[in-house]
Structures are given as C-alpha cells and as structure tokens.
Amino acid sequence: RYYRGGYGPTPTMIFLDTGMTTSLSDRDKFGLLDMFRGVNDLNGEQCASAMIKLSRVSPSVDAEANEAAFRRDIITLFQGFVDEHGSQGSWRCFGDAIGGTIETMRQYERYVEGGVCTVMVTSMMLSDLQKRLDPGLHAMDVLKDVLGGVAVAEYVPILKGIAD
C-alpha cells in the first residue's frame, strides 16, 4: 500500500533486494544463524564457534593453534564493541562486527563457502546502507526476536524446518 498521504500502516521494515542469491546447505544455514545470534548478542565466543564450524583453514596452517588464536581475537574484537557500545549496542556495530570477523578470518587463513561469504558481505553492506538511510532505525532490534529463536519460520520462511 502507498503510505505517503496516510494510506495504510507505516512500514516497520523494508527489505531491499540486492540481486545477490545463493543456495545454502542446512549446515551453513544453522552456522549462519548461530553467527548472527552471536553478533546480535555481541557474544564473541558464540560468533567464533560458529565461524570455526563454518570455515576451514589453509592446509599449510596448524589447525589447532589457528583455532585458539582465531577464537581469542574474535572474543577480543567483540569485547571492544561491548566496551564501546554496551552489551545492548549490537545494532550500532552489526556491520563492523561482521566486517571485523571477515578480516580476522582473512588474517588466520580461514575460508568459508561462497554462499556463506555472500550472505555475510551482503548483510554487512545492507547494515551500512540502513544506517545511512535512517540512523534512527535499528534493524537488529526489529530482528532480535527472530535471531533469538522466537517464531523463526514465521518471519524467515527460508529457515522453515531447520530452526525449530
């Protein structure tokens, strides 16, 4: 419905189709859901665990040492966001948290499938775009129930059957 003259309800959230599509395995869907929950809660441990499950390391890298150092640096990254924005500040640094996670993965030579990378980069870009279009809208607040596991299939049909 057209709103600009008072027709219909005020839109709460508008999704922008960026033209990027991908197909994700159930494992990748669960992993991304865990990663997004970690980002939403500013929980570095949860985000690091999800990314370790979603990624693999270069054959030339010691996997155990890499995993421990990667986990430590992601936890430190997220603690910096908590220190700067408070534990409820996930909407302020959502794109930065994903960007920092991607950069840390690069430093530790951790690799994810192309579809997972597409979802992460698209989310980061849309978060930045959303902040520029309407700094007062906090998409992560709107999605908090979804990321918390409340009626996920109702809000995100692609996850129907895997998040229950």
Side-chain angles (χ1 to χ4, degrees), residues 18-25 28-29 32 113-120 122 158:
T18 62
M20 297 179 129
T21 60
T22 190
S23 179
L24 298 171
S25 68
D28 291 344
K29 290 175 190 175
L32 281 167
E113 296 297 323
V116 172
C117 188
T118 297
V119 170
M120 291 177 69
T122 301
I158 194 169

Side-chain angles (χ1 to χ4, degrees), residues 2-164:
Y2 185 72
Y3 179 71
R4 192 181 299 263
Y7 302 104
T10 303
T12 302
M13 180 178 287
I14 298 171
F15 289 96
L16 177 65
D17 180 359
T18 62
M20 297 179 129
T21 60
T22 190
S23 179
L24 298 171
S25 68
D26 283 350
R27 178 184 161 276
D28 291 344
K29 290 175 190 175
F30 278 121
L32 281 167
L33 189 60
D34 284 344
M35 187 271 300
F36 283 126
R37 284 180 179 147
V39 171
N40 185 61
D41 296 340
L42 292 179
N43 182 332
E45 176 67 36
Q46 183 175 3
C47 183
S49 294
M51 293 314 302
I52 287 168
K53 290 176 189 172
L54 280 169
S55 63
R56 61 187 191 290
V57 294
S58 173
S60 64
V61 173
D62 176 9
E64 285 185 36
N66 178 287
E67 183 177 313
F70 174 79
R71 184 181 304 276
R72 181 195 65 235
D73 283 0
I74 292 291
I75 291 169
T76 301
L77 172 74
F78 277 69
Q79 187 58 50
F81 292 128
V82 170
D83 292 346
E84 184 177 346
H85 300 291
S87 62
Q88 300 300 313
S90 62
W91 59 267
R92 292 184 182 109
C93 56
F94 178 77
D96 294 334
I98 293 175
T101 300
I102 291 171
E103 175 59 22
T104 305
M105 290 177 60
R106 186 194 64 74
Q107 291 172 355
Y108 285 95
E109 297 182 50
R110 299 197 74 86
Y111 305 99
V112 293
E113 296 297 323
V116 172
C117 188
T118 297
V119 170
M120 291 177 69
V121 170
T122 301
S123 299
M124 182 178 63
M125 290 172 30
L126 290 176
S127 171
D128 184 59
L129 180 63
Q130 171 260 310
K131 282 195 294 190
R132 290 175 190 215
L133 291 174
D134 185 355
L137 174 67
H138 310 301
M140 292 306 292
D141 287 345
V142 176
L143 294 176
K144 197 164 192 73
D145 286 342
V146 173
L147 294 172
V150 177
V152 171
E154 180 181 335
Y155 296 103
V156 186
I158 194 169
L159 298 175
K160 189 170 182 70
I162 67 160
D164 297 330

